[in-house]
Amino acid sequence: MTTKLSISRAGLPAARKHQIAILLFFLLLGMVYASWAARIPAIRDILQLDAATLSLVLLCGGIGAVGSFPLAAWLTGHYGARHSTLYAGLALLLSLPLLALAPGLWALMLASVFYGAASSCFDVAINALGAQAEQEAGRPIMSMLHGWFCVGTFTGALVASGVAGLGIAPLWHFLLVSALFLAPLCMAYNALPDDRPEHDPHRKIFAIPHGHLVVLGVIGFCGAIVEGSIADWSGIYMKDHIRASDGGAPLAYAAFAGMMLVMRMVGDRLKQRYNARRVVAAGTLAAAFGMGIAVLAESMAPAILGFAIAGAGVAAVFPFVFSAAGRHGSTALAAVATLGYSGSLIGPPAVGFLAHGWGLPAALAFIGVLCLSIAVCSSRAQWLE
């Protein structure tokens, strides 16, 4: 008995060290994601892009993300989640300044493809690490991990607001973010144990979602449309429709990400008490209400409030979907992520084309309808538990 207790105490610091490393990866992804999303209006103005042309740029990011999921699954299956996280993380930090360096539309589209591919590979790798940590912990922790992604997005949006208000160009902003996170990325990688799997020629590295996994993928698909579209278009909406300043435009996404952070930090406890289906269904109903407030708003305060409610409402979608898929292994996780993140391919460009034809308020109303669809779907998805 004494031996077991001493082993448990000896292993506690290492387990804590590993968890902190994984949290840092989620924080990094959130910072990079928010930095790009918050400076889209500035890059649009620099290159003089209209809504339809900007949609093509966002479409390229989605193509890079979805097209790279077989690569993400191969990397994780061949090298392990730890090594995949380092390789994809380095590519992600490189991709951010390339977005600001693009001198024209075609260069920006290529940089967007590279950014989408790097971010999706990094995302799959760190969620595989998170699923492993959740199984080892024996309790839900995925919502907490995704909460640290929201720490990154919230912080990144606030930093972007301040940087934009000071008139600092996106290139210097992106270079600073990449430089600051290079050393922490390598340190967190070194803090994790080697998890490279043994070679098995008969093991499937990637699979198309099928059966029950399709339901999880569809919920993730709609969730990706909502999150991605708000990230990419909330700043444009605030600037063009609400007439916010360059410094004020990112505050809508900051409110969205901030409330996602709050809800994800308590999401695991809500899941244990009410179950995942009820939490996701009730949350996305609230998100639809929040989008209605944002669409009807005529000033900054109610618009920001609407986006904040939407962020709280959709906070549970990705953590719970990835947690359910991760219980079936990294191959199942990558398969669900493929279908789920296809929303990143379709969503923001679709919203852009809707905005081009019908106006951005109508496009955001479409996001509210999608939130209602998630609520209906998740209330019937028993595999979400």
Side-chain angles (χ1 to χ4, degrees):
M1 186 71 177
T2 305
T3 303
K4 289 183 179 179
L5 184 61
S6 64
I7 291 173
S8 176
R9 287 177 176 171
L12 183 60
R16 183 62 176 167
K17 188 177 179 181
H18 299 163
Q19 188 178 70
I20 292 173
I22 298 172
L23 293 179
L24 192 143
F25 293 142
F26 278 90
L27 176 69
L28 185 157
L29 181 62
M31 280 290 294
V32 172
Y33 185 80
S35 298
W36 160 236
R39 301 310 301 268
I40 286 176
I43 292 177
R44 177 201 65 169
D45 292 345
I46 291 171
L47 298 181
Q48 299 181 340
L49 307 176
D50 59 22
T53 308
L54 180 59
S55 296
L56 292 177
V57 174
L58 302 178
L59 178 64
C60 288
I63 290 173
V66 176
S68 68
F69 276 115
L71 172 62
W74 179 83
L75 282 172
T76 305
H78 189 73
Y79 293 105
R82 173 178 175 258
H83 293 288
S84 301
T85 296
L86 177 64
Y87 304 151
L90 292 173
L92 181 62
L93 293 181
L94 175 62
S95 70
L96 189 59
L98 291 179
L99 291 165
L101 280 170
L105 175 61
W106 289 104
L108 183 60
M109 290 169 68
L110 288 174
S112 184
V113 170
F114 181 53
Y115 165 78
S119 62
S120 70
C121 289
F122 187 72
D123 200 6
V124 169
I126 65 175
N127 274 284
L129 288 173
Q132 293 170 8
E134 187 172 63
Q135 290 176 354
E136 293 170 0
R139 60 184 176 84
I141 64 169
M142 190 66 86
S143 183
M144 181 270 294
L145 295 176
H146 280 254
W148 280 89
F149 169 81
C150 292
V151 172
T153 56
F154 180 64
T155 305
L158 289 180
V159 169
S161 176
V163 168
L166 292 173
I168 297 174
L171 174 59
W172 297 111
H173 174 195
F174 292 171
L175 283 171
L176 178 62
V177 171
S178 295
L180 286 177
F181 274 97
L182 180 59
L185 171 67
C186 297
M187 292 171 62
Y189 162 78
N190 289 326
L192 293 174
D194 189 11
D195 63 349
R196 181 180 293 215
E198 295 183 3
H199 178 66
D200 182 0
H202 302 292
R203 179 163 52 92
K204 293 180 69 176
I205 297 298
F206 182 73
I208 299 298
H210 62 279
H212 299 167
L213 294 178
V214 173
V215 180
L216 296 178
V218 169
I219 295 172
F221 173 82
C222 294
I225 293 178
V226 173
E227 284 197 37
S229 298
I230 290 176
D232 290 345
W233 290 103
S234 60
I236 303 292
Y237 176 77
M238 294 294 290
K239 187 171 183 181
D240 293 357
H241 186 75
I242 305 297
R243 305 300 179 190
S245 64
D246 285 342
L251 293 178
Y253 183 63
F256 178 82
M259 287 307 298
M260 286 188 74
L261 163 62
V262 172
M263 290 305 297
R264 282 179 173 173
M265 288 304 180
V266 300
D268 294 317
R269 289 194 291 272
L270 292 175
K271 180 181 178 181
Q272 287 180 309
R273 183 170 182 177
Y274 298 108
N275 79 47
R277 283 193 296 160
R278 290 179 181 176
V279 174
V280 174
T284 46
L285 281 175
F289 176 71
M291 291 308 301
I293 294 176
V295 168
L296 296 175
E298 296 182 356
S299 60
M300 283 187 63
I304 291 173
L305 174 64
F307 284 114
I309 295 173
V314 300
V317 175
F318 269 147
F320 292 175
V321 166
F322 279 14
S323 176
R327 289 194 294 269
H328 300 281
S330 60
T331 301
L333 176 61
V336 169
T338 300
L339 185 53
Y341 276 105
S342 296
S344 301
L345 171 65
I346 295 173
V351 168
F353 289 122
L354 284 173
H356 188 70
W358 300 92
L360 197 46
L364 293 182
F366 167 72
I367 296 176
V369 173
L370 275 181
C371 291
L372 292 175
S373 302
I374 298 173
V376 173
C377 217
S378 59
S379 66
R380 300 175 179 271
Q382 296 182 359
W383 311 280
L384 192 58
E385 297 301 332

